[in-house]
Amino acid sequence: MQLTRLMKGLDIIDHTGKTAEDVSGVFFSANQCVENSLFVAIKGLMNDGHDFIDEAVSRGAKFIVYEQDRQFPSSVTAIKVADSRRALGLIARNYFNDPSANLTLIAVMGTNGKTTISYLLESILKEAGFPCGVLGTVNYRYHDKIRPAPNTTPESYEMQKIMRDMADDGITHVVSEVSSHAVDLKRVDDCDFDLGIFTNLTRDHLDYHLTMENYFQAKKRFFSDILPQSRKVHPQKMVINADDSWGQRILNEVSLPALTYGMEGNRDVRPVNYELSLKGIHAEIHLAGDTVFIKSPLIGKFNLYNILAAMGAAFILQIPAPVIQKGIEKLSNVPGRLEPVASSQPFNVFVDYAHTDDALRRVLQTLNELREKRIITVFGCGGNRDRGKRPLMGEAAVSYSDLTIVTSDNPRLEDPLAIIAEIEAGIDPNKVRKVEAASLKFNGDRRLYAVIPDRRKAIEAAIGAAEKEDIILIAGKGHEDYQILGTEKIAFDDRVVARKILESRSGLQ
């Protein structure tokens, strides 16, 4: 492709060298550069692409887009821009011929619920006959193609590339989970979204954003800056949880027309009647003037909120109510989101991705409303992430569990015992008694907790302590099929581990 075509729309400060030349490929990783390619030097969370310009040139890169001043060999065409991250998105959009212009593109934003909503919308869209792709935390998928998801939202170049692949393969609708990191790092600035969903905002990612206000502003920027530039035309472009205080701020501070959902007040999408159980959700939903009866195997009030969000988005996309109903009912479960682990045991085991204090509190509140006997919770906190939420998660877990087993999550480069100690700081010893791992016995006096750093042994201990009609919640990792110890990623899936232990227990009986 001609360099001049790739540069269309760029805020160029200066350039040296020839511009009327062909570019063989576009890269933002220096080690992938080839002869006559273009390298965009962007600053990442760990490394700065400007430090790898020489490597890119040595591998054949002839065109360099950069923002930090430096010297270049005369053989290189150097293009200085105000923001190389934004430049990467624009160049990628040009390189892949603006794929989102020809797709119906839906963004799902918020701390909790993004993945479940993406699965619900995927099911509804497929029921409506639309070939659908999904970019999210679990994976990137369309048709029978599944790719691992290194990030909830791909880097801007990868985002444009995947959308082009989807469009070329006949996909018409794409549901994308959009993270606050992605907005802040301008990964989606050059995508043409049809609408955006906001679920909620609770404490998370403060290791990156530092404050809740910064975190909110990153979310809000999608609705105030990115969504308004869309060329798509719909009666509403925002689907907002109006029960959430941060959602109310978006409604008050962003002028785009919105469809609201929630359980309080006169929301556009709201339940008229509903029934929750361990078997699922039965509800009568007011959908912007229509009434829809739904039955879903998903569990809990927070999943009813997720269903309302998906219904609102589908309504804006003019999908008929009977189709929305069938799409919701066909989704049996979402990977790692209060996902049941089947067994012959007389108790229930669920795996959930809850890795913030609010998410853990919500899922445990749901299970408390539905339980018949006791709740046993296994959880830990990730290393090299927001340390402030650790005691909050400890407090949330023991407040709603009869037995809490504190264990390791993904400790990464931190000492697992140090992480556990920070979790324990949130547990009041006057209310919750600490017991040894070898004696997880209930005596009815008060709640108990134990520390078992080895996650496999912690899950095994929870299953060993469970009795008839108990509920076990294994929280924090959800769909993840690995554990990060130091710099090593080992195979570890809570669902697989629990299933094997349950099968072993059945074999002994």
Side-chain angles (χ1 to χ4, degrees), residues 210-406:
L210 302 180
T211 69
M212 286 297 293
E213 183 62 24
N214 290 346
Y215 185 22
F216 169 71
Q217 290 299 330
K219 298 285 188 186
K220 176 188 165 184
R221 180 176 171 269
F222 175 83
F223 296 96
S224 63
D225 295 5
I226 298 172
L227 197 53
Q229 70 187 13
S230 169
R231 296 159 288 181
K232 312 292 181 57
V233 179
H234 296 284
Q236 293 98 7
K237 286 192 175 184
M238 303 194 301
V239 180
I240 306 293
N241 177 2
D243 291 354
D244 184 84
S245 60
W246 300 97
Q248 282 291 341
R249 278 192 62 181
I250 291 176
L251 290 170
N252 292 333
E253 297 174 18
V254 178
S255 60
L256 286 179
L259 189 78
T260 61
Y261 72 92
M263 300 190 192
E264 304 169 11
N266 195 31
R267 311 307 187 208
D268 298 317
V269 187
R270 61 185 185 273
V272 179
N273 295 296
Y274 63 91
E275 179 184 339
L276 308 175
S277 73
L278 284 175
K279 293 183 179 179
I281 299 169
H282 289 202
E284 178 184 351
I285 308 296
H286 173 90
L287 179 60
D290 203 350
T291 300
V292 183
F293 294 88
I294 63 103
K295 184 170 71 172
S296 168
L298 302 183
I299 297 169
K301 186 180 286 187
F302 62 90
N303 271 323
L304 181 52
Y305 270 95
N306 294 333
I307 287 169
L308 297 176
M311 292 178 73
F315 174 82
I316 291 174
L317 297 176
Q318 300 185 319
I319 297 174
V323 176
I324 295 174
Q325 177 190 34
K326 288 181 182 178
I328 289 169
E329 293 182 352
K330 281 190 175 181
L331 181 66
S332 59
N333 66 74
V334 178
R337 271 64 180 176
L338 210 53
E339 182 178 355
V341 180
S343 81
S344 60
Q345 296 300 315
F347 50 81
N348 293 288
V349 180
F350 296 97
V351 170
D352 193 84
Y353 190 53
H355 59 282
T356 69
D357 59 295
D358 180 76
L360 186 58
R361 194 180 303 276
R362 289 189 190 206
V363 71
L364 284 170
Q365 285 174 337
T366 290
L367 294 177
N368 268 270
E369 291 168 0
L370 305 176
R371 71 170 171 170
E372 296 180 14
K373 200 176 177 185
R374 300 175 309 199
I375 293 179
I376 301 171
T377 298
V378 179
F379 87 102
C381 291
N384 302 109
R385 296 294 185 268
D386 178 13
R387 293 173 58 187
K389 70 181 180 181
R390 294 171 185 173
L392 300 177
M393 290 187 69
E395 190 274 332
V398 299
S399 295
Y400 296 95
S401 307
D402 297 278
L403 170 62
T404 301
I405 300 177
V406 183

Side-chain angles (χ1 to χ4, degrees), residues 86-102:
R86 184 64 198 278
L88 177 63
L90 283 163
I91 290 167
R93 186 180 71 181
N94 295 336
Y95 187 66
F96 292 108
N97 197 25
D98 197 7
S100 62
N102 300 311

Side-chain angles (χ1 to χ4, degrees), residues 9 14 24 50 68-69 87 104 122 126 271 309 314 358 361 404 434 456:
D14 191 16
S24 64
H50 291 82
Q68 298 175 12
D69 286 333
T104 298
E122 178 185 33
K126 286 183 175 179
D358 180 76
R361 194 180 303 276
T404 301
K434 185 175 183 178
R456 186 181 303 273

